[in-house]
Amino acid sequence: NKLIMGIGHKIKSVQNPDMRVTIIKEYAKANFPETGILDFALRVEEITTKKRNNLILNVDGCIAACFVDLLRGCGAFTREEADAHVEHGVLNALFVLGRSIGFIAHALDQKRLKQGLYRHPQEDISYQLPGSLARG
């Protein structure tokens, strides 16, 4: 078994799809000049969901695939420039930005509701140590 980043969800599955993924896929297909990376990710999903129905393309994987397709197809960058941006970590910055906005929204909502800071139970948190992905 190997971990494939962008594939898998704890709750969502083929029978209970993540509507964010559905909306993003439909938007990209209708509006992006090319969707080769998204198409590839969807072919991977076809294989992984045969193993387990929750090994779907998750929202992070969908956003990443679409963002690379957009970088490559928007006309602002050569293929090499787009790939260099990805190699330099632009996707990491995109995800950190999204998570930061989400964390701020949660904190503001908890403050508004006069609730303490919510913390996940330790058993809900798993860590991927450097090098553990390569060992499979």
Side-chain angles (χ1 to χ4, degrees):
N1 293 331
K2 294 227 181 221
L3 176 66
I4 302 173
M5 299 304 239
I7 294 287
H9 198 281
K10 192 171 188 173
I11 298 168
K12 300 297 182 181
S13 66
V14 173
Q15 295 80 16
N16 179 27
D18 186 337
M19 291 309 297
R20 300 171 300 174
V21 173
T22 302
I23 292 166
I24 293 166
K25 286 189 304 191
E26 289 173 1
Y27 184 86
K29 291 287 190 179
N31 295 287
F32 286 15
E34 62 182 67
T35 57
I37 300 297
L38 176 60
D39 295 338
F40 178 78
L42 293 172
R43 288 192 303 274
V44 171
E45 180 187 54
E46 287 175 13
I47 295 166
T48 57
T49 53
K50 288 178 183 171
K51 295 182 180 203
R52 276 201 349 239
N53 69 354
N54 70 328
L55 293 177
I56 58 172
L57 179 64
N58 62 40
V59 70
D60 289 337
C62 187
I63 290 170
C66 289
F67 194 75
V68 173
D69 281 335
L70 191 58
L71 279 175
R72 288 180 174 179
C74 70
F77 307 101
T78 65
R79 169 76 180 256
E80 294 75 23
E81 290 170 331
D83 291 348
H85 284 304
V86 172
E87 285 185 34
H88 289 119
V90 73
L91 294 176
N92 292 334
L94 182 68
F95 295 127
V96 166
L97 178 62
R99 293 297 186 270
S100 299
I101 292 168
F103 289 146
I104 292 168
H106 282 292
L108 291 173
D109 207 32
Q110 289 170 332
K111 186 173 184 174
R112 178 183 61 84
L113 296 171
K114 297 181 178 22
Q115 296 175 344
L117 182 64
Y118 174 78
R119 297 193 186 277
H120 275 281
Q122 188 65 30
E123 60 270 10
D124 281 357
I125 303 170
S126 63
Y127 295 94
Q128 216 34 279
L129 298 175
S132 63
L133 295 177
R135 289 192 292 258

